[in-house]
Amino acid sequence: MQEAPKALSDEGIVVENNDKALKFIEDVTINADEVQKLVLSEILSRSADTEYLRRNGLNGCTDRGTFKKVMPVITYEDLKPDIERIANGDTSPILCSHPISEFLTSSGTSAGERKLMPTIDEELERRSLLYSLLMPVMNQFVPGLDKGKGMYFLFVKSEAKTPGGLVARPVLTSYYKSSYFKNKPNDPYTNYTSPDETILCLDSYQSMYSQLLCGLCQNEEVVRVGAVFASGFIRAIHFLEKHWGLLCKDIQSGTIDSKITDPSVREAVSKILKPNPKIADFVEAECSNGSWKGIITRLWPNTKYIDVIVTGTMSQYIPALDYYSNSLPLVCTMYASSECYFGINLDPLCKPSEVSYTLIPTMAYFEFLPVTRENELTGSISEPTALNDEEKQLVDLVDVELGQEYELVVTTYAGLYRYQVGDILRVSGFKNNAPQFNFICRKNVVLSIDSDKTDEVELQNAVKNAANQLVQFEASLVEYTSYADTSGTPGHYVLYWELSVNDANSIPPSVFENCCFTVEESLHSVYRQGRVSDKSIGPLEIRVVENGTFDMLMDFALTQGASINQYKTPRCVTYAPIIELLNSRVISSYFSQKCPRWSPGHKQWCTQN
Ligand code: AMP
């Protein structure tokens, strides 16, 4: 009798899946242009009858030439009327032939509210495909990852409903609640210390506590740790600093603290938590020894790397991560957004400053708008400016030039056409025919602590609202700048104010405290959510500086080569010598005494929780 073919062992399946994923990357990067052409024609042919494409006169064409000739390059503001119709319940095919399944709420804002990105069911499959490429790539560089667990701090955020009844929530909340995450295949790479119930718990204290508890009691098994962004991982470490005593008590006794009230979390944790005095004593000894240097490698001794995004504004957390981990490799695996998931890092052990992302050509149709940026003399993040009209030709994925900076423009399966994402990327190399990009910055963003992205205009308006309160004291704001201070827990916005005032003592401290509060109230909802719900941003601070400070700042910039004709006060500073100069001139400082108002969803919607 013929022998039945042998089923592959677990290890065999992993090898086979890894090979498949790497072959996929190889194929789509070799055939990048052909894949992009197909993606565009697929998107355009299935959405040929949508109102948006008809309105712009595409007339069913699916070729690149016609698309580029007739379709405008747009921003969210251009799309807002259409998005509002969908949010209000218009289910006709406005942007996409497939039904919009929900809105993904971006951390980018418009008129103070999160932008709403339409999505369709099948996008989950595309996102999950990108995730499935990460471990096969990682496995080429770090062996043994299939032999242990990942301790990842992952969280969901609250969701709201649009007036038309569509759910609006962040992209990761949508993903973690989907069957793609909950029913993920039981393979060695999806072996996490956090049970799904702890991730899906909306209460951020209970979620963080239970995830840390599970991570600590399985400490020997952990081979990699992470969170999405560096800020989230640092928050977990700070939480541990504050609550290790309670956590040790739970590990000692094998019972869960009574503050954890969510029954599904209690049940899931109780399957993992057993009385373990040995681990409890070990954690207590490490956490109470006075120094938190290397705490990650001490508590989780088999950790090989930290998986967190430290590119873009998150680079401000690299020194803290190095300190807590005794400089374990920091691995940035992917680049993604609510609009679309873009690409992955094929050289994950490279230095954070060298991280480049390879855009995966099947995810969307990508175009690139060349940009130039002003010199970053003062350390402020300068605004990129698009080139003039002739140069404003968008370039295709395979036509970008090494070293050139571009703004990313996407056409997605979910109904965005030539949409400017707002990210500035620089071409750093190529994988076969697909370019690789350094993430340079988010256009216009000056301040960011966590996922908040505050631009110059928002800051200016908020400061103006606050400074109005000085008028009654015959005082006015002469100059200001800002700084994202991440040295404390949590980080907070600092504003440096130089005033024109007859008698500085005539203004009571409560007025400045109110100014701090007014700035916070005037900022966008992602900032206020960070302050109120996530507690990832601390109270805003105003530091009043001596008269003449901003002249000194200008003098400093001139000594560094700035032109006096072109000098503008930077509205945000990041360069250490300038921050030192400002700090050396502080007369008094004030903090916001209240939390600003925030509720899930846009102001005008009723919310559900
Ligand atoms: P959101 O729309 O809230 O999902 O935020 C997406 C934005 O986060 C992107 O457009 C980028 O500005 C930023 N982002 C995402 N991934 C990365 C990354 N790997 N490095 C730097 N910034 C990133």
Side-chain angles (χ1 to χ4, degrees):
M1 203 173 67
Q2 207 183 0
E3 215 180 20
K6 279 204 181 75
L8 281 172
S9 63
D10 276 0
E11 206 143 325
I13 293 172
V14 170
V15 172
E16 195 177 276
N17 285 344
N18 287 352
D19 289 349
K20 250 198 230 159
L22 297 179
K23 179 158 186 323
F24 171 82
I25 296 169
E26 207 55 33
D27 286 348
V28 296
T29 53
I30 288 174
N31 302 308
D33 199 40
E34 291 79 355
V35 173
Q36 283 282 277
K37 202 168 148 198
L38 274 175
V39 166
L40 180 66
S41 85
E42 197 182 358
I43 293 174
L44 297 182
S45 59
R46 36 145 111 165
S47 281
D49 286 329
T50 57
E51 193 183 314
Y52 188 81
L53 292 189
R54 281 175 175 270
R55 197 192 299 154
N56 283 289
L58 200 61
N59 292 332
C61 296
T62 62
D63 63 293
R64 273 194 241 196
T66 315
F67 176 72
K68 282 174 187 277
K69 200 147 79 199
V70 306
M71 295 302 290
V73 179
I74 57 156
T75 64
Y76 187 78
E77 304 312 317
D78 299 309
L79 216 50
K80 219 167 163 181
D82 288 323
I83 298 275
E84 271 166 14
R85 278 173 61 199
I86 300 170
N88 288 330
D90 190 335
T91 55
S92 63
I94 299 174
L95 296 174
C96 183
S97 58
H98 288 216
I100 301 300
S101 53
E102 59 182 307
F103 279 117
L104 303 176
T105 54
S106 164
S107 55
T109 52
S110 158
E113 301 288 354
R114 284 174 178 270
K115 291 177 185 165
L116 299 174
M117 295 301 162
T119 192
I120 53 177
D121 275 334
E122 68 168 47
E123 276 295 287
L124 277 165
E125 204 170 313
R126 251 173 231 110
R127 279 178 221 130
S128 115
L129 177 127
L130 204 81
Y131 284 122
S132 76
L133 304 178
L134 303 180
M135 289 311 285
V137 170
M138 206 61 223
N139 173 65
Q140 296 174 290
F141 299 89
V142 185
L145 294 174
D146 53 340
K147 304 287 184 299
K149 296 193 177 189
M151 179 179 70
Y152 282 76
F153 301 109
L154 305 176
F155 303 93
V156 292
K157 292 194 180 187
S158 45
E159 46 192 63
K161 271 211 171 143
T162 68
L166 282 174
V167 171
R169 56 189 174 186
V171 61
L172 290 173
T173 299
S174 163
Y175 187 74
Y176 299 148
K177 288 188 166 183
S178 76
S179 58
Y180 286 88
F181 182 76
K182 290 201 240 178
N183 306 333
K184 51 193 166 297
N186 207 358
D187 75 37
Y189 292 148
T190 52
N191 199 354
Y192 300 122
T193 54
S194 297
D196 288 355
E197 293 80 355
T198 63
I199 294 168
L200 295 173
C201 171
L202 192 54
D203 180 297
S204 59
Y205 176 90
Q206 295 189 47
S207 177
M208 180 70 92
Y209 186 94
S210 54
Q211 293 194 52
L212 266 168
L213 187 56
C214 294
L216 285 169
C217 61
Q218 302 172 79
N219 73 329
E220 294 279 343
E221 293 169 67
V222 170
V223 290
R224 54 195 171 108
V225 300
V228 178
F229 288 107
S231 52
F233 193 79
I234 298 276
R235 203 166 346 133
I237 300 300
H238 289 152
F239 188 99
L240 179 64
E241 270 183 278
K242 219 162 150 186
H243 300 288
W244 59 263
L246 266 186
L247 289 158
C248 287
K249 214 167 114 232
D250 286 0
I251 301 171
Q252 186 90 32
S253 62
T255 57
I256 311 160
D257 186 61
S258 58
K259 280 209 208 87
I260 308 305
T261 52
D262 183 322
S264 63
V265 172
R266 290 188 73 85
E267 192 188 332
V269 175
S270 67
K271 290 186 188 144
I272 295 167
L273 184 67
K274 302 283 169 271
N276 195 330
K278 201 170 136 224
I279 294 189
D281 291 347
F282 165 74
V283 173
E284 183 172 347
E286 292 299 339
C287 292
S288 61
N289 93 351
S291 165
W292 278 68
K293 186 169 183 324
I295 193 72
I296 296 163
T297 34
R298 287 195 270 132
L299 292 178
W300 294 279
N302 300 316
T303 308
K304 297 171 194 265
Y305 64 89
I306 306 182
D307 184 347
V308 279
I309 290 173
V310 287
T311 37
T313 54
M314 289 292 150
S315 61
Q316 62 196 337
Y317 296 103
I318 293 174
L321 289 169
D322 284 344
Y323 177 81
Y324 288 127
S325 73
N326 278 336
S327 301
L328 276 176
L330 300 175
V331 170
C332 298
T333 55
M334 67 189 282
Y335 168 44
S337 79
S338 314
E339 289 89 337
C340 165
Y341 277 22
F342 304 122
I344 59 174
N345 178 1
L346 295 177
D347 183 17
L349 291 187
C350 69
K351 283 196 240 149
S353 56
E354 286 163 13
V355 169
S356 68
Y357 299 102
T358 305
L359 301 197
I360 298 297
T362 53
M363 299 305 290
Y365 176 62
F366 299 113
E367 292 176 278
F368 299 86
L369 180 62
V371 292
T372 51
R373 284 186 306 140
E374 285 169 25
N375 207 356
E376 289 180 27
L377 255 184
T378 51
S380 67
I381 303 163
S382 55
E383 184 179 336
T385 44
L387 304 180
N388 64 36
D389 270 359
E390 288 107 67
E391 290 164 316
K392 208 178 163 178
Q393 284 293 330
L394 267 63
V395 181
D396 274 325
L397 184 68
V398 296
D399 295 330
V400 295
E401 286 171 22
L402 192 67
Q404 169 69 47
E405 291 185 3
Y406 298 93
E407 180 180 348
L408 178 61
V409 175
V410 290
T411 296
T412 68
Y413 283 90
L416 301 177
Y417 305 91
R418 311 196 93 188
Y419 177 90
Q420 292 180 246
V421 173
D423 288 346
I424 306 300
L425 311 176
R426 185 193 298 131
V427 184
S428 59
F430 288 84
K431 162 75 179 171
N432 297 319
N433 295 310
Q436 302 179 300
F437 296 91
N438 301 134
F439 181 92
I440 301 300
C441 63
R442 177 99 183 164
K443 207 165 64 173
N444 301 339
V445 166
V446 289
L447 284 170
S448 173
I449 296 285
D450 189 22
S451 54
D452 51 306
K453 298 173 172 66
T454 300
D455 70 30
E456 232 175 88
V457 177
E458 283 163 325
L459 184 65
Q460 168 74 23
N461 285 336
V463 167
K464 199 173 105 208
N465 288 345
N468 278 340
Q469 295 170 41
L470 301 176
V471 177
Q472 56 183 310
F473 299 95
E474 291 175 35
S476 61
L477 185 63
V478 176
E479 270 295 8
Y480 74 92
T481 190
S482 65
Y483 166 58
D485 184 348
T486 53
S487 59
T489 331
H492 69 291
Y493 288 12
V494 175
L495 300 180
Y496 293 94
W497 278 17
E498 185 173 320
L499 304 178
S500 160
V501 57
N502 290 335
D503 173 12
N505 295 329
S506 66
I507 309 177
S510 61
V511 171
F512 288 109
E513 287 166 359
N514 248 328
C515 288
C516 294
F517 177 68
T518 305
V519 175
E520 296 199 300
E521 280 272 287
S522 308
L523 287 173
H524 51 86
S525 85
V526 181
Y527 174 88
R528 288 179 281 115
Q529 182 172 10
R531 274 284 278 133
V532 178
S533 169
D534 305 345
K535 309 218 173 350
S536 55
I537 305 175
L540 183 136
E541 180 184 3
I542 290 176
R543 296 183 189 163
V544 178
V545 293
E546 287 172 57
N547 281 359
T549 300
F550 280 81
D551 285 341
M552 290 173 75
L553 202 78
M554 178 167 76
D555 292 343
F556 182 86
L558 298 183
T559 64
Q560 305 285 303
S563 142
I564 190 145
N565 295 323
Q566 290 171 324
Y567 178 80
K568 293 186 245 30
T569 303
R571 290 301 172 215
C572 172
V573 291
T574 54
Y575 187 44
I578 288 194
I579 295 161
E580 271 165 40
L581 186 152
L582 289 164
N583 283 339
S584 71
R585 309 265 306 170
V586 172
I587 309 169
S588 54
S589 103
Y590 308 91
F591 285 91
S592 182
Q593 300 296 313
K594 291 182 277 187
C595 263
R597 270 167 298 178
W598 176 80
S599 59
H602 286 197
K603 273 191 295 266
Q604 61 273 36
W605 305 346
C606 51
T607 59
Q608 63 146 45
N609 262 312

